[in-house]
Amino acid sequence: MDPLLLVAEWWWIAPSAVAVGTVGVIGVNRRNSTTSGRRLAVDAARHDLRASQQVAAERRTALKIARADLTRVAAERAAQRASAEQVAAARRMLRERERDAKAASADVRARQVRLNAARAAIPPASGPRPLDRLQAEHDAVIARWMRYETDPALQIGYPAMTDVKRPETAAYLRAADHAKEMRRAATGRVTPAEFAAYRDAVAELERAFEAAEHAAKVQAGEATTIPAWQDAAQDVLSRSAEAIDRAAGAAASALSAWTSRRRPGKPDDHR
């Protein structure tokens, strides 16, 4: 067969093969990236965005229904088939649905920002994976907490940090248990939903620790600080003492000057 005819007949095979190979390489790289966990934070952020968009859509629908209900009730009120209380209740429901829709829209925008940030923070092939970084953040919070458990000086200085009767401490312990459960679930082949749940649990743990530490420091400060009225009284006494000293000094100077003016002169030697 003529080689030129063969090339003319099968010319499309080479570009197709190249295209298939390129798609295959991209697919393998993306699959390896997902399997290795480099894009886990991106997938979790995308999962959150989709869930937030679904909630926003549901709340927009509820808002439309609330508007329609208000229009209907207002019309029935005009026809004297509804009371003023029913119209007021429909208006309150509409305002509540409007607030819900605005909050959902704001959450969608925040989730989009988080997705963009996760895309920009995809680690290199040799860098730590998102799950590894999240576990390190979890361990760092636990280590900060353990200092209050093991350091005698901190135990004495901030006893509220280990007092389970304190609401802030109890909230931290609940958050710690929840984060531990989410970490246990995020093992093996972690899904974006599992990573997102663990990420949110660690974030809540950090907030709970900060709140407990702040409350403990406030309590320690209240136990060692002199009450405000005592400070004010001491300040008044100090100012009074200074005023008395200044007045006494001024009186002494005036008396000395007056005495000098009244002192009789020496006798005249030429008299």
Side-chain angles (χ1 to χ4, degrees), residues 109-172:
R109 291 192 295 270
R111 300 292 183 180
Q112 183 64 59
V113 171
R114 172 171 282 186
L115 175 58
N116 296 338
R119 285 171 176 165
I122 295 177
S126 59
R129 300 298 185 261
L131 183 59
D132 296 334
R133 293 200 302 263
L134 187 58
Q135 290 175 346
E137 294 175 7
H138 187 183
D139 294 339
V141 178
I142 299 300
R144 292 173 64 188
W145 167 261
M146 290 304 299
R147 291 180 60 241
Y148 290 95
E149 289 277 358
T150 58
D151 191 333
L154 291 177
Q155 288 180 352
I156 296 174
Y158 306 101
M161 284 295 288
T162 55
D163 185 1
V164 296
K165 296 180 181 179
R166 300 278 299 182
E168 296 84 3
T169 302
Y172 167 80

Side-chain angles (χ1 to χ4, degrees), residues 6-270:
L6 182 63
V7 170
E9 185 175 358
W10 298 98
W11 65 269
W12 54 272
I13 292 181
S16 300
V18 172
V20 171
T22 303
V23 172
V25 170
I26 294 174
V28 169
N29 290 338
R30 184 178 181 87
R31 184 167 57 252
N32 291 339
S33 176
T34 303
T35 303
S36 64
R38 292 175 56 213
R39 296 182 59 88
L40 189 55
V42 175
D43 295 338
R46 185 179 293 110
H47 170 271
D48 293 343
L49 178 60
R50 289 171 181 170
S52 181
Q53 289 172 338
Q54 182 178 357
V55 172
E58 294 173 354
R59 292 185 177 180
R60 285 194 299 269
T61 301
L63 176 59
K64 293 178 181 179
I65 294 174
R67 285 174 178 166
D69 286 342
L70 178 58
T71 302
R72 176 184 57 82
V73 174
E76 292 181 352
R77 173 61 178 166
Q80 297 183 351
R81 289 195 299 267
S83 64
E85 289 76 10
Q86 290 175 317
V87 176
R91 285 200 180 99
R92 288 194 298 271
M93 181 61 68
L94 176 59
R95 288 194 295 269
E96 183 178 350
R97 293 294 178 261
E98 287 175 344
R99 289 193 295 268
D100 292 343
K102 289 180 180 179
S105 298
D107 186 67
V108 169
R109 291 192 295 270
R111 300 292 183 180
Q112 183 64 59
V113 171
R114 172 171 282 186
L115 175 58
N116 296 338
R119 285 171 176 165
I122 295 177
S126 59
R129 300 298 185 261
L131 183 59
D132 296 334
R133 293 200 302 263
L134 187 58
Q135 290 175 346
E137 294 175 7
H138 187 183
D139 294 339
V141 178
I142 299 300
R144 292 173 64 188
W145 167 261
M146 290 304 299
R147 291 180 60 241
Y148 290 95
E149 289 277 358
T150 58
D151 191 333
L154 291 177
Q155 288 180 352
I156 296 174
Y158 306 101
M161 284 295 288
T162 55
D163 185 1
V164 296
K165 296 180 181 179
R166 300 278 299 182
E168 296 84 3
T169 302
Y172 167 80
L173 294 176
R174 288 193 299 269
D177 290 340
H178 180 62
K180 184 178 180 180
E181 293 176 3
M182 294 301 98
R183 181 170 184 164
R184 189 180 297 113
T187 55
R189 189 177 182 84
V190 182
T191 65
E194 291 171 341
F195 179 84
Y198 181 36
R199 178 204 62 205
D200 294 343
V202 172
E204 178 59 28
L205 178 64
E206 291 176 344
R207 288 191 293 268
F209 176 82
E210 294 294 340
E213 188 176 49
H214 176 73
K217 289 182 178 180
V218 168
Q219 185 190 35
E222 290 176 349
T224 58
T225 302
I226 300 175
W229 68 267
Q230 292 188 12
D231 290 338
Q234 184 64 38
D235 184 65
V236 169
L237 291 176
S238 299
R239 291 177 180 274
S240 299
E242 292 175 0
I244 292 172
D245 290 341
R246 288 196 299 269
S253 299
L255 179 61
S256 176
W258 181 83
T259 303
S260 298
R261 288 195 302 269
R262 298 291 295 177
R263 183 178 301 170
K266 294 183 179 180
D268 191 355
D269 295 336
H270 301 282

